[in-house]
Amino acid sequence: MALRLFTSFRVTAVEIFKRTYIKNKEMNRTEKITVPVEGMTCASCVLRVERTLNKISGVKNPVVNLALEQATFEYDSSIVNLKSIAARIDKSGYKLLLPENKKEETSNRVDLDKRQMENYFFVKKEFYFSLFLTIPVSVISMFLMIPPIQEISALNMESWNKVFFIFTTLILFRPGRRFFILAVKAAKQFTADMNTLVAIGTGSAYVYSSMAIFFPELLNVDPASHLYFDTTAVIITLILLGKMLEAKAKNKTSEALKKLIGLQSKFAIVVRNGVELLTPILKLQKNDIVLVKPGSTIPADGVIVSGQSTINESMLTGESFPIEKSVGAQVVGGTMNLSGSFTFKTTAIGKETVISKIIELVENAQTSKAPIQKLVDKVASIFIPIVLLLAISTFAIWYFLLDASFSAAMINFISVLIIACPCALGLATPTAIMVGTGLGATKGILIKNVESLEKLYKVTTIVFDKTGTLTEGKPIVSKIFSFENFSEESVLSIAASVAKNSEHPFSEAITNYATQNKIELTEVKSFSSFPGLGAIGKLESGTVIYGSEKFMNENNFDLSLHKKNINDISETLNSIVFIGFNKQLIGIISLEDEIKVDAKKSISKLKEMNLEMIILSGDQKVIVDNLAMQVGIEKSFSKLMPEQKVEKIKELQSAGKTVAMVGDGINDSPSLAQADVGVAIGTGTDIAIATADVTLIKGQLPTLITAINISKRTINTIRQNLFWAFIYNVVGIPIAMLGILNPMFAAFAMAFSSVSVVSNSLRLRYKKLD
């Protein structure tokens, strides 16, 4: 008999989560908030915002995401308020877009797409303005370098330089002003970032060229010579081009999250006193009766009270087939009603709904930081100062030691500054994470955070629970054996009377079988559950004890009297429940649970990925061994209590193995918590399981393979992104210092480093993951 299968927790994982949450709320006034941040351009910006938040008393656990352009942090409202936090951020050179109220805080999710599109169109407008002025500056400058063209030109070179001055000034003080404003703000905080490099580089070329026109005697330069207005203009334009393409690509990285947000209805048809009222979703209340018409989205979670329909839940579970629903069935907000009309009573609204919890999980995963990002942050913190020193050293070496002209040394100085801009560093990790976790969500895979993603990538051993994981988890009664002059009907009545108080699948199977056969049940005076063993209930006529063989022995039942019967029943390979009444064994109920149709194929694919697989079960050895043989798993352990499963996982970990535990998320919560990665198999209503690192909403094993592949592809993409982000600098800076790299080519390379990183992240969407 499966020892673990009688675990019957009175408090579900969701209730534990709620109680913990309420308790924490009572202890302090800490709130968690995610708000947009304006003005960030690179990894250094992210680091500065985080450092500023960390310095504010009452603020904890700040995480800033460059790809989403937002900050997530906890703050104690009794110590600090949001306005004072925003003021501190503003002083550091950035801006927090604070919500006016709680409802607007929720709407920040909805505004994500709007903010990203507004930013894209703003940068696009600035780019085209700059491009319109840059083309004549760069093209005419290039042609004027040819002597015959200079001779036939209507204006002399000095006059052309003054025209270029006007055009470049417009570029610098319109689209280019963003770099100078942020550079000045950074300087006030005694820090530097990508804007500092761009501002110093373009500003140097612009100031030098301007002085050559108006004060040539100071620099001993001919105002009719070739100056560097074209360098300034082209650098600004190319960087804006990179920013525009980056903004467009970043918009795509959050598509999955925006699709989830888009599933939420804005209105609901509420029926009150027989009248249908179109009600904003924010005003919907629990226990409201809501009418859902064909083709409309279900606005909240609830239970159908009238009517029936087919509902498409693919957007949440990935399940392609519509599901028939009728009175008493649960419906989930965000799913699509297809054919019929029905009314349902709301049981969860707002942030309590399944779709809101899924969005929250995805957001948390996307805003969390990968361990590798900490290294990037350390590099970013010292990178800009080092670049400034290298640029100054380059100028000094060329001008003072190599006797280069001032303009030649300055050009090399600018090239070093521009090629070194670390825009791509700040995007390398978050863009890949956004695409990876978003992709998982669309396939019914919820990843708690980036650490879980990275650990899943490293998994060497997968431990499976049996019931509900490798089997369907929906056992049915196959046969009832009765002893001691008790009929099968009376054995079933006694067992079901107690079993109806338990949430365990086997107890539910016994209760359902009794209901189907119209068996009369007796009222239970008291009930006690013993996890992993069984249960005891008191009826008017006596005490019922049912459970495993071990549980019966512990309660002094002499099973030797029925040893042959027990052996014969065990050979059927079905799970068995011993039924005792007033110290007598009165029967055995045999239950069967079908193996999942995709189990064998999934195990075979996991083997191809060189993963070790083990079954840990509380069921009988003969049953567990048979299941292992059928699905192709070589190693299995049976008759394990929950704490014994934890010990087995510890043994594997002490042997240097990275362990993933796959279970139902409730009965196996200790094992899920102990494993390096806890993977909960369940339905959409199980997403709040606190112990799971990864939740497979569909409850199908092939999605486990998809989850592992997503983790591998995402981590590999992060590594590729960091390689490309660093290679531009590692290769480009020495070339610039040697005087080989033109500043305009440096600007082109720097701009497209960010684009290449974001584009590489987007490639994840087209990878084969099954």
Side-chain angles (χ1 to χ4, degrees), residues 194 196-202 204 384 387-392 410-422 733 736 746 750:
M194 165 257 182
T196 306
L197 301 183
V198 175
I200 293 174
T202 57
S204 299
I384 301 294
V387 169
L388 287 170
L389 286 173
L390 289 174
I392 293 168
M410 183 189 67
I411 286 299
N412 294 338
F413 167 78
I414 294 169
S415 294
V416 173
L417 292 176
I418 299 303
I419 192 63
C421 289
I733 291 175
M750 187 277 291

Side-chain angles (χ1 to χ4, degrees), residues 36-58:
V37 183
E38 281 188 352
M40 295 192 300
T41 55
C42 65
S44 298
C45 301
V46 170
L47 201 61
R48 191 185 309 152
V49 175
E50 284 187 352
R51 281 178 173 174
T52 303
L53 288 169
N54 271 317
K55 289 177 183 178
I56 301 172
S57 178

Side-chain angles (χ1 to χ4, degrees), residues 393-429:
S393 300
T394 299
F395 176 85
I397 291 168
W398 279 95
Y399 187 65
F400 294 109
L401 298 181
L402 300 178
D403 292 327
S405 65
F406 183 88
S407 60
M410 183 189 67
I411 286 299
N412 294 338
F413 167 78
I414 294 169
S415 294
V416 173
L417 292 176
I418 299 303
I419 192 63
C421 289
C423 311
L425 273 181
L427 295 167
T429 301

Side-chain angles (χ1 to χ4, degrees), residues 292 304 306-311 324-327 337 339-343:
V292 183
I304 295 178
S306 68
Q308 60 183 26
S309 183
T310 53
I311 295 173
E324 295 282 344
K325 301 266 186 174
S326 58
V327 175
N337 180 34
S339 57
S341 293
F342 63 88
T343 58

Side-chain angles (χ1 to χ4, degrees), residues 189-374:
Q189 299 295 315
F190 301 101
T191 59
D193 58 17
M194 165 257 182
N195 300 291
T196 306
L197 301 183
V198 175
I200 293 174
T202 57
S204 299
Y206 174 78
V207 170
Y208 173 83
S209 300
S210 300
M211 289 185 68
I213 293 175
F214 300 109
F215 308 101
E217 64 280 358
L218 292 177
L219 298 176
N220 195 24
V221 176
D222 182 2
S225 63
H226 177 77
L227 301 177
Y228 299 102
F229 290 115
D230 56 338
T231 300
T232 299
V234 170
I235 289 174
I236 294 291
T237 302
L238 284 174
I239 292 173
L240 287 172
L241 173 62
K243 291 293 176 188
M244 182 185 72
L245 296 175
E246 177 190 313
K248 188 174 183 179
K250 277 163 64 177
N251 194 32
K252 291 181 180 178
T253 62
S254 56
E255 269 185 3
L257 178 59
K258 286 182 284 191
K259 282 180 182 177
L260 287 171
I261 293 170
L263 295 177
Q264 296 175 301
S265 298
K266 293 183 179 178
F267 296 94
I269 302 173
V270 179
V271 181
R272 291 194 179 120
N273 300 321
V275 179
E276 297 177 8
L277 303 171
L278 188 63
T279 306
I281 199 71
L282 292 174
K283 292 185 179 180
L284 199 62
Q285 298 176 356
K286 279 188 180 180
N287 299 318
D288 272 345
I289 302 299
V290 178
L291 172 66
V292 183
K293 296 181 179 180
S296 60
T297 301
I298 298 171
D301 298 354
V303 178
I304 295 178
V305 294
S306 68
Q308 60 183 26
S309 183
T310 53
I311 295 173
N312 181 5
E313 296 185 343
S314 62
M315 59 284 292
L316 291 180
T317 65
E319 183 60 56
S320 58
F321 297 104
I323 300 170
E324 295 282 344
K325 301 266 186 174
S326 58
V327 175
Q330 291 187 335
V331 291
V332 180
T335 55
M336 179 67 70
N337 180 34
L338 297 180
S339 57
S341 293
F342 63 88
T343 58
F344 73 95
K345 179 187 286 188
T346 60
T347 56
I349 57 173
K351 290 186 176 181
E352 296 176 355
T353 61
V354 169
I355 183 66
S356 289
K357 290 175 181 176
I358 290 176
I359 291 170
E360 185 178 358
L361 280 174
V362 175
E363 282 185 326
N364 288 341
Q366 292 188 348
T367 54
S368 61
K369 282 198 175 185
I372 197 170
Q373 183 66 30
K374 294 173 184 176

